[in-house]
Amino acid sequence: MDDNFERKTVGGRVAIVGTGSRAAMFVRGIVERPASAVVAILEPNTIRAAYYNDLLKSLGAPTVPVYKPEQFRDMLTTERVDAIVVTCIDALHHLYIIPALEAGVQVLTEKPMTTDADKCRAILETVQRTGRHLTVTFNYRYNPVHELVKRTITEGKIGTVISIHFEWLLDTVHGADYFRRWHRQKGNSGGLMVHKSGHHFDLVNWWIGSEPETVAGMGKTAFYGKEAGTKNGWAKDYVRARGSDEARKDPFAMHMEMDETLQKLYAEAESDDGYHRDMNVFGPDIAIEDDMSVMVRYKSGVTLTYHLTAYSPWEGYRVMFNGSEGRLELEVVESEYRSPSDGERLGGLIHGTKSLPHPGGATVTLQRLWEKPQQLPVNIDHSAHGGGDTRMLSVLFGAKPGQEVDTGDASEQSANERDGAMALAVGVCANESFKTGNFIDVASLNFPL
């Protein structure tokens, strides 16, 4: 992180840019704090915007004006906006980050900060030109289990970190969900390499306090999509689940009418923009990978091997740190298994207020050389990204009435544009390596840092 990055609590008059799934968490967090208020919504879909105004009303807050994307600059002036929270499609983040920085408005953006090197360079150049920073909401940094890992490494319990192996498993409901919605097009999301860089690669960068230097990877669409689905025997012949009898036979289908949140936020909003939230995960237009292997060399000399699977029967992750004085192992089981009915009611999961079904446990094991392994005490919360969302909101927007400000570890975990760029760099370089088969140097991205 830039040493000159000043951590400031966001407050005052806040505008929400984009009313997809993550916006609700921020809306609730802002309304709960009397020093802040949602004063505007920017959203092209009028029905979805109305849903969020109804949410504000249900929380006891006033409804607010709704602006279209082309009215963004007018919104900043007319509503005297102090800060924006960017939660729109990932590939569009730069369209709002850049003019907001130029206007002197505080910027919080969902991760990933953006989706490709060109857009990232444009954001970084704006930071240099204006002297203003932005905050990237890397909520997994605030997860107490991840914080324990960071603290254990920083305290030198395993000596100098030499290598890391990181395995992340997305299951056949959550993992499949990226192939139902706008993420399935690489132009929107950058694929799972970029989308998950905001969780996984930022965590590694942060855990070891270093930045990536060289990346190589192999990726494929081995499970989802028409070709793989037909080969593996899972494919069904329909375009989207709503109104399809064939989808009723598909355990991978999501049925929006079974969930009130999905029905109101997406199904009822289709007439305004034609966006379908329940596409067939075995459709012919799938353009992102579902099985990815990556190697990263860091400036500190640490090497990382990483594998992401998006079609696992269970969900969770394992991380192994090998050090000069021992080994640290993290295992988190977010969902032990899935049943087809788990895909019918996703509203709470979409808004980040519930844990995945059938949650398991978490362990952090420290084993120093010549010593017995020891299980470190963990505080596991399967909802809200392991409790990270709740703690992040308190750091970003200040404590709620009656709560104390967190002046401990969490207060040191805010991330700026450099952190956003270094997390993105691994995903962008991995995507390039998928195409070329070459090792890709992060320096070749020419990020002005």
Side-chain angles (χ1 to χ4, degrees):
M1 180 178 290
D2 187 335
D3 291 337
N4 296 320
F5 176 52
E6 182 182 356
R7 296 180 183 86
K8 295 181 179 178
T9 300
V10 176
R13 300 174 62 83
V14 184
I16 304 297
V17 178
T19 56
S21 59
R22 288 291 285 169
M25 177 194 72
F26 291 104
V27 168
R28 289 191 175 93
I30 293 165
V31 170
E32 290 171 342
R33 291 162 170 83
S36 299
V38 176
V39 297
I41 292 170
L42 186 137
E43 169 58 55
N45 187 300
T46 57
I47 298 172
R48 195 170 297 124
Y51 171 89
Y52 269 86
N53 258 326
D54 287 343
L55 174 61
L56 284 168
K57 191 185 303 182
S58 73
L59 296 171
T63 59
V64 299
V66 176
Y67 289 81
K68 299 292 186 181
E70 63 272 17
Q71 299 173 307
F72 178 66
R73 292 179 186 271
D74 291 340
M75 178 190 75
L76 296 180
T77 302
T78 303
E79 305 303 333
R80 307 188 312 281
V81 172
D82 298 311
I84 63 168
V85 178
V86 182
T87 60
C88 60
I89 290 175
D90 297 342
L92 304 180
H93 286 184
H94 68 295
L95 298 178
Y96 307 104
I97 292 172
I98 290 172
L101 290 174
E102 292 172 338
V105 172
Q106 284 185 290
V107 177
L108 269 69
T109 182
E110 260 294 279
K111 74 280 168 225
M113 185 172 73
T114 187
T115 54
D116 63 41
D118 289 341
K119 293 168 186 171
C120 187
R121 278 191 294 271
I123 291 171
L124 297 174
E125 288 165 359
T126 304
V127 168
Q128 287 193 338
R129 186 174 69 254
T130 63
R132 300 189 63 86
H133 296 280
L134 63 135
T135 298
V136 185
T137 57
F138 288 135
N139 51 350
Y140 257 18
R141 292 186 177 202
Y142 300 86
N143 181 323
V145 177
H146 300 159
E147 192 175 76
L148 172 63
V149 170
K150 169 74 170 176
R151 191 163 53 245
T152 303
I153 292 171
T154 301
E155 292 172 355
K157 297 290 182 63
I158 62 170
T160 301
V161 178
I162 297 171
S163 64
I164 305 168
H165 178 66
F166 195 148
E167 179 185 23
W168 199 290
L169 303 167
L170 292 167
D171 64 32
T172 47
V173 175
H174 183 198
D177 205 36
Y178 294 100
F179 298 82
R180 298 187 187 108
R181 46 184 163 139
W182 56 262
H183 296 80
R184 66 199 263 145
Q185 297 300 320
K186 214 158 198 177
N188 290 332
S189 67
L192 284 171
M193 275 291 87
V194 165
H195 187 74
K196 288 300 176 184
S197 70
H199 278 326
H200 312 167
F201 300 131
D202 176 68
L203 271 181
V204 175
N205 298 352
W206 176 67
W207 274 330
I208 65 174
S210 188
E211 294 180 348
E213 187 174 61
T214 304
V215 180
M218 292 185 288
K220 56 186 176 181
T221 309
F223 189 83
Y224 300 108
K226 184 174 183 179
E227 182 178 350
T230 301
K231 177 182 177 182
N232 296 325
W234 290 109
K236 295 287 190 295
D237 188 20
Y238 64 94
V239 175
R240 47 88 59 100
R242 191 178 185 188
S244 169
D245 291 336
E246 187 72 6
R248 294 291 171 190
K249 309 170 190 175
D250 183 7
F252 292 90
M254 183 180 74
H255 305 288
M256 294 188 291
E257 67 273 15
M258 302 294 291
D259 184 281
E260 183 180 1
T261 300
L262 292 172
Q263 178 70 21
K264 290 184 175 296
L265 193 57
Y266 295 107
E268 294 178 8
E270 288 179 3
S271 60
D272 204 43
D273 60 11
Y275 172 60
H276 297 160
R277 179 63 176 76
D278 59 347
M279 299 292 284
N280 183 357
V281 300
F282 301 107
D285 61 334
I286 299 294
I288 62 174
E289 299 84 5
D290 55 32
D291 192 289
M292 292 139 278
S293 299
V294 177
M295 294 191 300
V296 184
R297 182 174 64 239
Y298 281 82
K299 291 179 179 179
S300 63
V302 173
T303 53
L304 165 72
T305 56
Y306 169 92
H307 195 95
L308 172 61
T309 304
Y311 52 90
S312 172
W314 67 278
E315 179 146 332
Y317 46 103
R318 299 184 179 106
V319 193
M320 285 73 79
F321 301 84
N322 297 300
S324 60
E325 298 178 23
R327 181 177 168 94
L328 185 68
E329 299 181 358
L330 165 66
E331 178 171 296
V332 177
V333 180
E334 294 185 326
S335 181
E336 293 181 329
Y337 68 96
R338 287 301 193 117
S339 63
S341 62
D342 292 337
E344 294 178 351
R345 295 175 176 84
L346 292 172
L349 304 183
I350 285 172
H351 278 181
T353 56
K354 295 181 181 178
S355 64
L356 298 179
H358 326 297
T363 59
V364 179
T365 305
L366 171 64
Q367 186 167 13
R368 293 177 54 80
L369 297 180
W370 321 115
E371 296 179 11
K372 291 182 179 180
Q374 54 178 302
Q375 300 293 316
L376 302 184
V378 298
N379 177 19
I380 183 66
D381 179 353
H382 283 288
S383 66
H385 290 91
D389 288 346
T390 302
R391 300 182 76 217
M392 179 183 72
L393 290 172
S394 292
V395 172
L396 297 180
F397 295 103
K400 292 189 290 187
Q403 290 184 339
E404 293 184 4
V405 176
D406 191 331
T407 57
D409 291 334
S411 67
E412 301 299 317
Q413 287 157 209
S414 295
N416 71 353
E417 66 284 339
R418 186 183 188 99
D419 303 292
M422 287 298 100
L424 176 68
V426 180
V428 168
C429 288
N431 277 338
E432 183 65 18
S433 185
F434 293 170
K435 292 189 295 185
T436 65
N438 298 327
F439 284 78
I440 307 297
D441 289 334
V442 172
S444 69
L445 301 176
N446 296 316
F447 286 166
L449 292 168

